[in-house]
Amino acid sequence: MNGATVDRMAGVDPVPGVAKPDPILVVDGVRRSFGGLTAVDVEHLEVQRGTITALIGPNGAGKSTLFNLLTGFDRVDSGTWTFQGKQLNGLGGHRIAREGMVRTFQLTKALTRLTVMENMLLAAPGQTGERILGSFLRPQWRKQEEANRARAEQLLERFKLLAKKDEMAGSLSGGQRKLLEMARALMVNPTMIMLDEPMAGVNPALVQSLLEHITALRDEGMTVLFVEHDMDVIMGISDWIVVLSEGKVIAEGRPSDIRADQRVIDAYLGSGYEESGREPQTDTGESHE
Ligand SMILES: Nc1ncnc2c1ncn2[C@@H]1O[C@H](COP(=O)(O)OP(=O)(O)O)[C@@H](O)[C@H]1O
Ligand SMILES: [Mg+2]
């Protein structure tokens, strides 16, 4: 986190639902059940602007469901949330993306039978309905198309995918698809990006590169909320960690707070964590300092 953010978070108590000095996202009483199962039941949660916040918790804790709800891919049973002060309840995924909050999926949604570039252009602003209007305003539409293509190339370059732009997304490796997914999400120039297990199934060399991308986005001022299981990764890059269990926030705090939280260790990290959590990351193919 940058210096200013560190200072502002210094006085924040590591307790569930604690207020943040400059929250970009504020969640209130968001609940979602499937039949008799309460998947998400978040009383209050604030995400501080400009941080990398990790959302952790055991399988089935409700992490993906919470992402789905907040980004308009599922409907809450009750509750409200605001993003940059604006209520998002009831808005669909495209509208929410246009407000500046985008997400990636646990299982990548890259369209395998389209090229990498086509995938990027489909994620661009103005690809849903506005195109009909656009046909009446052809010169502007063409200008938009050119701008989209330029932005796509820039992002593909950044994620080292430019050489693959005309290849089918289906021909990419699992890790490259994760990178494409991230690049796609950035097409709308978001202020907040939510990543659902961006590192899952990615080889160690690409994990390193993904981590650098995530840190770079934060350093450029973006807010990142991500779901991850690897404790080394989480402790290494997170400014703040939120622990979800059975749909509820059971803990939140800095990595040092979470590492020391007996409830988290019991519920999630397990007794083996003390030793395994300190293992250095290996086999990135590069030397360590
Ligand atoms: N569409 C759905 N229909 C029924 N149950 C669901 C659905 N989506 C999620 N669940 C259930 O809700 C709980 C939370 O799931 P999920 O949000 O995917 O957890 P996580 O991402 O933390 O592993 C799980 O018990 C899961 O089986
Ligand atoms: Mg999940």
Side-chain angles (χ1 to χ4, degrees):
M1 103 173 92
N2 60 44
T5 314
V6 175
D7 292 345
R8 302 178 83 175
M9 292 291 272
V12 179
D13 276 339
V15 294
V18 68
K20 311 293 185 316
D22 183 16
I24 190 169
L25 176 68
V26 179
V27 180
D28 270 301
V30 162
R31 291 188 182 83
R32 175 70 161 112
S33 303
F34 298 108
L37 174 95
T38 302
V40 167
D41 183 3
V42 173
E43 205 64 52
H44 188 80
L45 177 65
E46 300 187 3
V47 176
Q48 171 74 7
R49 185 189 307 274
T51 57
I52 296 176
T53 298
L55 180 64
I56 71 171
N59 260 329
K63 305 179 296 295
S64 293
T65 303
L66 182 59
F67 268 30
N68 291 342
L69 294 170
L70 298 180
T71 56
F73 289 86
D74 189 11
R75 284 189 176 243
V76 296
D77 295 330
S78 58
T80 57
W81 69 105
T82 61
F83 177 68
Q84 311 207 88
K86 190 184 164 93
Q87 281 231 0
L88 297 185
N89 308 39
L91 300 186
H94 287 294
R95 269 304 310 281
I96 290 179
R98 237 184 296 155
E99 293 296 330
M101 184 160 81
V102 295
R103 56 88 57 88
T104 63
F105 290 86
Q106 187 169 346
L107 300 171
T108 57
K109 295 258 165 139
L111 301 165
T112 55
R113 306 186 74 170
L114 293 179
T115 68
V116 168
M117 178 54 85
E118 285 163 346
N119 267 279
M120 292 295 284
L121 293 177
L122 269 178
Q127 291 303 300
T128 50
E130 285 159 46
R131 205 158 187 160
I132 296 161
L133 178 67
S135 62
F136 293 106
L137 306 162
R138 199 153 173 92
Q140 280 94 326
W141 177 73
R142 196 172 291 154
K143 232 177 173 178
Q144 178 69 56
E145 184 91 355
E146 274 165 26
N148 289 345
R149 205 168 273 276
R151 175 152 181 81
E153 293 206 347
Q154 206 177 25
L155 285 167
L156 289 174
E157 166 108 73
R158 174 176 185 163
F159 287 91
K160 300 204 166 61
L161 289 170
L162 191 54
K164 308 252 176 208
K165 75 179 162 88
D166 297 319
E167 291 180 27
M168 293 294 154
S171 75
L172 300 179
S173 72
Q176 287 171 330
R177 279 194 219 183
K178 290 283 191 187
L179 289 171
L180 174 59
E181 175 106 351
M182 221 162 160
R184 265 161 51 103
L186 295 175
M187 279 299 285
V188 297
N189 244 321
T191 26
M192 177 162 175
I193 185 165
M194 296 171 55
L195 306 166
D196 198 352
E197 304 202 19
M199 264 69 85
V202 174
N203 76 53
L206 264 183
V207 164
Q208 200 48 47
S209 150
L210 270 165
L211 290 177
E212 283 162 18
H213 283 301
I214 291 172
T215 309
L217 293 176
R218 189 269 320 268
D219 292 344
E220 288 162 20
M222 210 175 286
T223 307
V224 181
L225 180 66
F226 83 119
V227 172
E228 177 51 41
H229 289 293
D230 186 314
M231 274 299 149
D232 294 322
V233 165
I234 294 159
M235 296 295 170
I237 72 164
S238 307
D239 301 312
W240 196 260
I241 299 173
V242 175
V243 187
L244 209 61
S245 178
E246 295 177 353
K248 294 180 193 294
V249 176
I250 61 157
E252 58 173 301
R254 285 160 282 270
S256 53
D257 302 319
I258 297 304
R259 200 180 261 130
D261 189 315
Q262 195 56 46
R263 241 187 115 185
V264 177
I265 294 168
D266 293 344
Y268 181 50
L269 301 179
S271 53
Y273 174 66
E274 279 300 301
E275 296 113 69
S276 67
R278 291 202 188 113
E279 297 258 303
Q281 271 190 292
T282 49
D283 64 7
T284 56
E286 286 165 25
S287 61
H288 299 274
E289 50 282 61

